[in-house]
Amino acid sequence: MAIEDDVLVVGGGLAGATAALAAAERDVRVRLVSHKESTLRHASGLIDVLGYTPTGEGPLADPFSALADLPEGHPYERVGAEAVRDALAFFDEIAGEAYAGAHTDANALVPTHGGTVKPTARYPTATAAGLASDDRDALLVGFATLPDFEAPLAAAHLEAAGVPFDARGVTVRFPGIERDDAKVTRYAHLLDRDEPVETAAGESTARAALVETVRSRLEGESRVGFPAILGDDSADAVRADLADRLGVDVFEVPMGPPSLPGLRLEDLLFDALSDAGVRVTTGVPVVDYETGADGAGSSGPARIDRVTVDRNGSEVPHSADQYILATGGLVGKGVQSDRERVSEPVFDCHVPHPADRYDWFVDDVFGDQPYARFGLPVDRDLRPLDADDALEFANLRAAGAVLGGYDFAAEKSGSGVSLATGYVAGRRAAEGCR
Amino acid sequence: MSDAERPTDDSGDEFEPIEVFPEAGETDLRPGADDCYKCSTCDTECPVAEVDDEFPGPKFQGPEQWRLKRQDDHDIDESVMKCSNCMRCDSACPSDVPLSQMHNTARAEYVEENMSKLSREYWRNRMLANYRRLAPLGAMFPRTANFVTGLSATQWLGEKLFGIAGEREFPEFATETFREWWTARGGAQVENPDKRIAYFHGCYSNYNTPEVAKALVRVYEHFGYEIMVPDQDCSGTPMFANGMLEDARRAAETNVRELAAAIEDGADIVASCSSCSMSLRQEYPELFDFEDTEAVAENTWDAVEYLRVHEDLEAELEGTSVGEEFDDFAYHAPCHARNQGLDGQTVELLAAIDGVEAHDVGDSCSGISGTYGWKEENYETSMEIGAEMFDHMDEADAEAGLTECPTCSMQMEHGTGYEITHTLEVLAAALVGDGTGTNATGARAE
């Protein structure tokens, strides 16, 4: 017999976790099945809603002011502006003290590791003291063994971008790290556990040694930015401790993959899933599905009866009343392509795309790339539509980057779309349970 | 156009194609290396790289080392021996790179070509990997063996002579192995051509914890299954981890042959150890190509998962209790169980039983990874990896531990002093009582 639940969410990133949490608000049994680690590990940890319009206008001061003008088919247009607000409020409740930005509709401007400034609706508390709208001078500290963050270059870029403060960057050695390719988790672990390290001045601990290294570089700045490696499990304590000893505010600059702020957000979401009683199955993919007898032959759309989870060779059936597809986009592999076609691998939902693959892209790398908008078209209930605009299935909804009709990288709307569509899909799925 | 197709030399008359595909019989790892897009998610999942400065992480050990090896002048880097084979990188990779397969083959090549066959390390590893060969001696004279291995002099000698961490306590041998018990009871007590399983008990529940194997028998007979206990060798897990791929191949050949015969007799395979089931399901098809390797992989299950899918285990457990026998547990899901999608299973099922609850202690690795934490040079790393689990066990509202992996179990006990139970023992207690006065014919004990 199949393992039975009321709502089954396929995918464990921001959209999937939000959908599962939203569904679990109702009195239904929810399971989340996730194959590999999600693209949260690639993500900055920032919760952007809309930084630029689809035509490239921006940065937007107020993302909500632009929602009404989005084209038909954009995920925000599908769910409506109210749902975006509700989803953000839902996220704020889950994130609690870990995130800031809820006090205003306006976008915050967060310095990135490249020295650009990103408009975002919510940001980790760890990033709060680093906002570009803050006029206090900032010292950026990079580490010689962590070339992903070149502090002097980032500082120069920030100044060139016109930030209202002086930014200065220095590169130092991270106490306790010798090898050139130490993992970000190694840095975080040293600080989390405040491990003993050897320094030129003798035996010390990781935090104390880092403070001593940075103290002599300060030239009156009242805030210091580090790449986002300041602890994992005890990140708040690490940051507070460093700030206390240095006597200045300490903030993190969000980094590229692999990203600790993304990892921490993932931990926060999975803790919330556990608290909400959501059943979680990870490490295994959903590979197939069966439709029920009542779908076949009748005129309505088919109902998914069960899905098959491949557990290293043996096939385990899972059944639910409602299903949510939140498997990600081209990077997360919820949407796949080969030389012939672009497809959605679990339920083989329709993905509109030009027949000729040379029309999938334009030559300008940073141009308006058609492939960036590839994904599932859905109705206003987030149910995937086939080539004739009819429902693919009666009991399937889609959320997050698997959706088409928007370019999250250009718009800076990835997290917001995942939250809003995850929230709506989860609620509607729970309401739709028979 | 891929590298493989691009002509590299169009000036001369003689075209010499680059050798990009391996010789017949070798595993083709190129697609795996090509699939890596360097996101480094695997590195963030690696418990060793987080605590050990000298370990360059799974991305290097897998796709990057494979590429370096295309040059003739590169040996496998010795750091591959620091990989604990927890296989967390496999389930981390968003691009399906077969990392542990790459590590297993690289490690085997390193041991074959770069490790001295006369070194203490080689013989120590060989001995640890071939526990299955030594255990029968211990089991033959269990009391003597337990006495000797319990001596501090033995532990001192183990460290000095063999490089086995002196802090570790050798596992005790049972006075009666599971197979001895099975034979003495006359084998299967239930015959049922429609519901038949072949039990892969592995070494540990045979020689050291037969109570786990007996619990499995009680639970399966409760559901009316006919149990077969085919001849079997070590699953190979400790051999993969030590780069002893030829030893593993011999063991796997026996296992595949015996288990395929059981499948032929209508049985599915179940295992009570999560590393054994992992090995049969994933590592065999990745590393070997005996006839029926795939069939065995496809028909192998975790023992609890099998009942969950083939019986209504949850409903059956609803309203049962374990009385005074067990209290709440701090539950650790072994990495090899997580990789099979079994992470939430135990917590979900125990919720149905009255008077006992499993508190998940999080997704960190226990750090022992089979033979890894037994080695003198890895002991400290192993305990540092385990620290997070120990902390969470301390914080959990429980005074006893629960898991499905024998070596995780050792580590949990070593780090906290808790008594550690296997999930099947709890299920047996809930479904058929504690075994005293149990009706072993499959009738329900209601």
Side-chain angles (χ1 to χ4, degrees), chain A residues 20-394:
Chain A
L21 289 167
E25 296 254 288
R26 298 275 170 140
D27 187 24
V28 293
R29 192 149 97 184
V30 185
R31 179 181 300 276
L32 181 148
V33 181
S34 171
H35 184 198
K36 302 294 189 161
E37 288 303 340
S38 74
T39 46
L40 276 171
R41 304 255 168 144
H42 305 19
S44 62
L46 301 176
I47 302 293
D48 47 20
V49 167
L50 194 68
Y52 297 82
T53 67
T55 51
E57 290 158 51
L60 297 169
D62 178 357
F64 297 97
S65 67
L67 293 184
D69 300 328
L70 292 172
E72 191 177 337
H74 191 290
Y76 285 144
E77 179 273 335
R78 298 280 91 179
V79 298
E82 255 339 278
V84 181
R85 285 184 185 278
D86 291 347
L88 272 181
F90 185 63
F91 174 79
D92 290 336
E93 208 172 300
I94 296 162
E97 299 285 304
Y99 273 77
H103 60 287
T104 172
D105 273 358
N107 270 326
L109 299 173
V110 175
T112 71
H113 62 113
T116 61
V117 171
K118 181 176 175 177
T120 187
R122 301 286 185 273
Y123 43 91
T125 312
T127 295
L131 295 193
S133 50
D134 190 333
D135 61 7
R136 291 177 297 160
D137 291 348
L139 173 68
L140 299 182
V141 177
F143 302 118
T145 45
L146 199 69
D148 294 2
F149 181 59
E150 182 63 29
L153 187 70
H157 274 197
L158 278 176
E159 291 204 336
V163 295
F165 56 87
D166 288 341
R168 201 165 56 82
V170 295
T171 301
V172 301
R173 292 207 64 91
F174 189 95
I177 298 269
E178 289 300 324
R179 63 179 307 122
D180 287 336
D181 63 345
K183 313 306 162 204
V184 291
T185 48
R186 176 73 192 133
Y187 292 84
H189 185 92
L190 277 169
L191 293 170
D192 264 350
R193 303 240 160 211
D194 203 11
E195 289 190 350
V197 294
E198 289 292 336
T199 70
E203 183 102 338
S204 182
T205 60
R207 293 182 200 171
L210 180 59
V211 165
E212 287 319 308
T213 306
V214 172
R215 195 194 304 280
S216 61
R217 311 299 178 108
L218 272 172
E219 291 177 8
E221 290 93 348
S222 57
R223 49 179 179 157
V224 177
F226 293 95
I229 49 88
L230 302 182
D232 183 5
D233 296 331
S234 312
D236 289 338
V238 170
R239 205 174 60 256
D241 195 10
L242 296 179
D244 193 41
R245 296 190 203 202
L246 280 169
V248 296
D249 276 351
V250 167
F251 63 91
E252 285 188 335
V253 179
M255 300 284 288
S259 154
L260 277 161
L263 246 157
R264 296 179 202 136
L265 175 56
E266 182 181 272
D267 285 346
L268 185 154
L269 293 168
F270 276 75
D271 285 349
L273 289 168
S274 167
D275 292 345
V278 173
R279 300 174 154 210
V280 174
T281 299
T282 64
V284 285
V286 174
V287 292
D288 204 359
Y289 69 94
E290 282 174 29
T291 50
D294 55 340
S298 72
S299 56
R303 278 187 74 84
I304 297 163
D305 181 54
R306 56 173 57 190
V307 295
T308 306
V309 173
D310 177 288
R311 292 194 177 171
N312 308 69
S314 48
E315 300 192 329
V316 178
H318 280 260
S319 77
D321 191 58
Q322 301 288 324
Y323 296 83
I324 296 171
L325 180 69
T327 41
L330 285 160
V331 177
K333 308 217 167 177
V335 177
Q336 295 189 350
S337 67
D338 57 25
R339 288 173 173 237
E340 307 302 323
R341 66 192 280 257
V342 184
S343 58
E344 179 279 298
V346 180
F347 297 103
D348 200 20
C349 289
H350 171 59
V351 184
H353 60 278
D356 184 344
R357 69 186 160 95
Y358 285 90
D359 295 333
W360 296 355
F361 60 92
V362 294
D363 288 340
D364 174 11
V365 174
F366 295 105
D368 200 6
Q369 295 288 352
Y371 68 78
R373 291 185 167 77
F374 287 175
L376 311 187
V378 288
D379 71 358
R380 290 180 190 281
D381 202 25
L382 297 178
R383 289 178 295 178
L385 300 171
D386 65 18
D388 301 320
D389 281 346
L391 291 185
E392 290 269 14
F393 302 97

Side-chain angles (χ1 to χ4, degrees), chain B residues 176-255:
Chain B
E176 181 186 42
T177 68
F178 166 66
R179 293 187 78 97
E180 285 165 0
W181 174 84
W182 178 254
T183 308
R185 94 197 274 259
Q189 310 264 315
V190 175
E191 285 185 26
N192 188 345
D194 299 324
K195 285 168 70 168
R196 206 173 263 173
I197 56 123
Y199 178 29
F200 190 85
H201 49 69
C203 312
Y204 203 74
S205 67
N206 184 39
Y207 295 112
N208 302 87
T209 55
E211 63 273 15
V212 171
K214 291 181 205 169
L216 179 138
V217 169
R218 299 220 303 278
V219 170
Y220 270 81
E221 290 191 342
H222 168 80
F223 282 104
Y225 281 87
E226 177 174 339
I227 300 169
M228 302 162 68
V229 183
D231 282 345
Q232 52 196 272
D233 206 325
C234 168
S235 71
T237 299
M239 299 161 181
F240 303 139
N242 286 287
M244 310 286 175
L245 216 48
E246 281 314 305
D247 291 345
R249 182 182 297 279
R250 277 191 295 277
E253 193 169 13
T254 303
N255 292 334

Side-chain angles (χ1 to χ4, degrees), chain A residues 1 31 36-37 41-42 179 183 185-186 189 193 195 258 279 281-282 311-312 314 316 331 333, chain B residues 44-45 50 53 56 90-91 93 95-96 281-282 305 309 314 338-341 343 348 384 391:
Chain A
M1 61 174 293
R31 179 181 300 276
K36 302 294 189 161
E37 288 303 340
R41 304 255 168 144
H42 305 19
R179 63 179 307 122
K183 313 306 162 204
T185 48
R186 176 73 192 133
H189 185 92
R193 303 240 160 211
E195 289 190 350
R279 300 174 154 210
T281 299
T282 64
R311 292 194 177 171
N312 308 69
S314 48
V316 178
V331 177
K333 308 217 167 177
Chain B
T44 64
E45 267 296 291
E50 184 179 329
D53 294 318
D90 276 353
S91 57
C93 177
S95 200
D96 272 334
R281 279 173 148 180
Q282 182 177 321
E305 172 193 36
V309 174
E314 210 164 340
R338 309 187 78 82
N339 285 357
Q340 297 177 63
D343 47 350
E348 287 170 25
E384 219 179 310
D391 287 353

Side-chain angles (χ1 to χ4, degrees), chain B residues 164-370:
Chain B
I164 291 173
E167 294 86 347
R168 298 266 176 214
E169 284 168 35
F170 290 100
E172 280 197 19
F173 291 103
T175 47
E176 181 186 42
T177 68
F178 166 66
R179 293 187 78 97
E180 285 165 0
W181 174 84
W182 178 254
T183 308
R185 94 197 274 259
Q189 310 264 315
V190 175
E191 285 185 26
N192 188 345
D194 299 324
K195 285 168 70 168
R196 206 173 263 173
I197 56 123
Y199 178 29
F200 190 85
H201 49 69
C203 312
Y204 203 74
S205 67
N206 184 39
Y207 295 112
N208 302 87
T209 55
E211 63 273 15
V212 171
K214 291 181 205 169
L216 179 138
V217 169
R218 299 220 303 278
V219 170
Y220 270 81
E221 290 191 342
H222 168 80
F223 282 104
Y225 281 87
E226 177 174 339
I227 300 169
M228 302 162 68
V229 183
D231 282 345
Q232 52 196 272
D233 206 325
C234 168
S235 71
T237 299
M239 299 161 181
F240 303 139
N242 286 287
M244 310 286 175
L245 216 48
E246 281 314 305
D247 291 345
R249 182 182 297 279
R250 277 191 295 277
E253 193 169 13
T254 303
N255 292 334
V256 168
R257 186 184 61 238
E258 296 294 331
L259 297 176
I263 294 170
E264 197 67 22
D265 288 338
D268 287 320
I269 319 299
V270 303
S272 49
C273 160
S274 45
S275 293
C276 291
S277 53
M278 188 73 200
S279 180
L280 298 175
R281 279 173 148 180
Q282 182 177 321
E283 283 161 318
Y284 281 17
E286 280 183 353
L287 299 169
F288 309 124
D289 54 1
F290 310 116
E291 197 184 348
D292 298 325
T293 306
E294 293 286 344
V296 168
E298 283 166 17
N299 290 288
T300 296
W301 299 73
D302 165 74
V304 178
E305 172 193 36
Y306 186 82
L307 288 177
R308 203 166 180 201
V309 174
H310 293 86
E311 305 292 330
D312 198 346
L313 180 57
E314 210 164 340
E316 192 79 8
L317 288 170
E318 208 66 61
T320 60
S321 71
V322 291
E324 297 295 302
E325 198 179 344
F326 296 116
D327 206 347
D328 284 4
F329 291 108
Y331 172 71
H332 166 74
C335 298
H336 289 178
R338 309 187 78 82
N339 285 357
Q340 297 177 63
L342 303 171
D343 47 350
Q345 175 172 276
T346 298
V347 173
E348 287 170 25
L349 288 173
L350 260 60
I353 305 172
D354 291 341
V356 62
E357 204 178 330
H359 304 281
D360 195 306
V361 295
D363 64 356
S364 60
C365 172
S366 80
I368 191 166
S369 294

